[in-house]
Amino acid sequence: KLFIDSGLVSEGIISIQTRDKNTLKIIDRENIKNEKYDELLEEFRKFKLPITTDLMIALPGQSVESFKNDLQFYFNKQVPLKVYHTQLLENTPMDKPEYKQRYNLEVDEDNFISSTSTLSENDLLKISALTKTYHAATNYGIIKYVLYYLQMEYKISSIDFLAKLNELIYSYPVSPYPMVKKVVNNFAF
């Protein structure tokens, strides 16, 4: 409250990385309990302080499904996301040869993870594209309220809807929705 009142804080950030228990175990990280998270959300909202959360792509143990579950959770909580690609840093546990071998970590020239034992390069492309579509639809509000409506009235998962939309707009060789693809491609994460 002191930081808010003094103008030093303009946004609350709770860096979760993932909510998937298996992935958290593999990366040796614990998150705050769901009840505590909900309390923090209420506190931030009480002070009218915007809140965001940080998620990671390509964590060891992560899958397309676990990432979609993370997106769905934050969509339901109405919390905007910042998504970052996992990069191996020198002298960290993930950078050790035995860890990389155990989880089949492959990296690109900048040391960003390009595949794992649970996430192929193709899977990584899918969730990267889904993230762009998610940002366009929700953070920029293009169809956010349509998604809430579909979910509430027809029980259609917003993330499943966006994943299906992704399949259509990134169909090869020719997308049946080139203008939607153009809009989504203008949103980088």
Side-chain angles (χ1 to χ4, degrees):
K1 182 167 180 356
L2 182 65
F3 286 126
I4 294 165
D5 291 343
S6 66
L8 292 174
V9 174
S10 62
E11 178 180 72
I13 300 173
I14 302 175
S15 182
I16 296 293
Q17 296 187 359
T18 184
R19 297 186 75 248
D20 183 66
K21 292 183 186 324
N22 182 55
T23 304
L24 288 169
K25 184 178 177 183
I26 289 170
I27 64 171
D28 196 25
R29 182 179 168 104
E30 291 183 22
N31 281 337
I32 61 174
K33 304 277 184 247
N34 287 344
E35 301 80 31
K36 184 64 177 170
Y37 184 82
D38 289 341
E39 286 175 31
L40 285 171
L41 278 179
E42 279 303 310
E43 276 300 299
F44 283 116
R45 288 179 173 149
K46 182 172 90 177
F47 291 113
K48 296 180 176 31
L49 186 67
I51 185 163
T52 63
T53 196
D54 296 336
L55 287 181
M56 301 295 292
I57 287 180
L59 289 169
Q62 186 177 57
S63 67
V64 172
E65 251 344 275
S66 69
F67 187 75
K68 286 170 61 176
N69 290 338
D70 284 340
L71 290 179
Q72 186 66 55
F73 176 82
Y74 290 106
F75 180 81
N76 292 346
K77 293 286 184 181
Q78 300 180 23
V79 176
L81 300 170
K82 294 178 183 172
V83 179
Y84 301 96
H85 196 117
T86 304
Q87 184 178 29
L88 292 187
L89 302 174
E90 287 184 32
N91 300 318
T92 61
M94 246 188 245
D95 192 42
K96 293 185 176 166
E98 59 275 4
Y99 189 97
K100 290 194 277 193
Q101 183 178 7
R102 181 174 186 186
Y103 297 106
N104 208 20
L105 303 184
E106 299 292 330
V107 297
D108 66 14
E109 64 277 353
D110 296 317
N111 244 15
F112 286 98
I113 295 178
S114 57
S115 68
T116 71
S117 57
T118 56
L119 198 67
S120 69
E121 284 185 45
N122 192 44
D123 290 340
L124 182 56
L125 290 173
K126 282 181 190 176
I127 63 175
S128 295
L130 179 59
T131 300
K132 275 207 263 188
T133 305
Y134 182 89
H135 279 293
T138 63
N139 291 9
Y140 296 100
I142 291 174
I143 59 169
K144 176 170 54 177
Y145 298 105
V146 171
L147 292 172
Y148 284 124
Y149 176 77
L150 291 173
Q151 194 164 283
M152 290 170 43
E153 292 296 319
Y154 297 100
K155 308 295 184 234
I156 298 171
S157 157
S158 297
I159 303 310
D160 288 343
F161 178 88
L162 291 175
K164 184 62 177 170
L165 178 62
N166 256 16
E167 286 176 26
L168 294 172
I169 65 176
Y170 290 103
S171 295
Y172 294 101
V174 178
S175 170
Y177 303 106
M179 291 309 289
V180 175
K181 182 178 180 179
K182 186 174 184 175
V183 168
V184 168
N185 281 335
N186 282 316
F187 293 94
F189 64 92

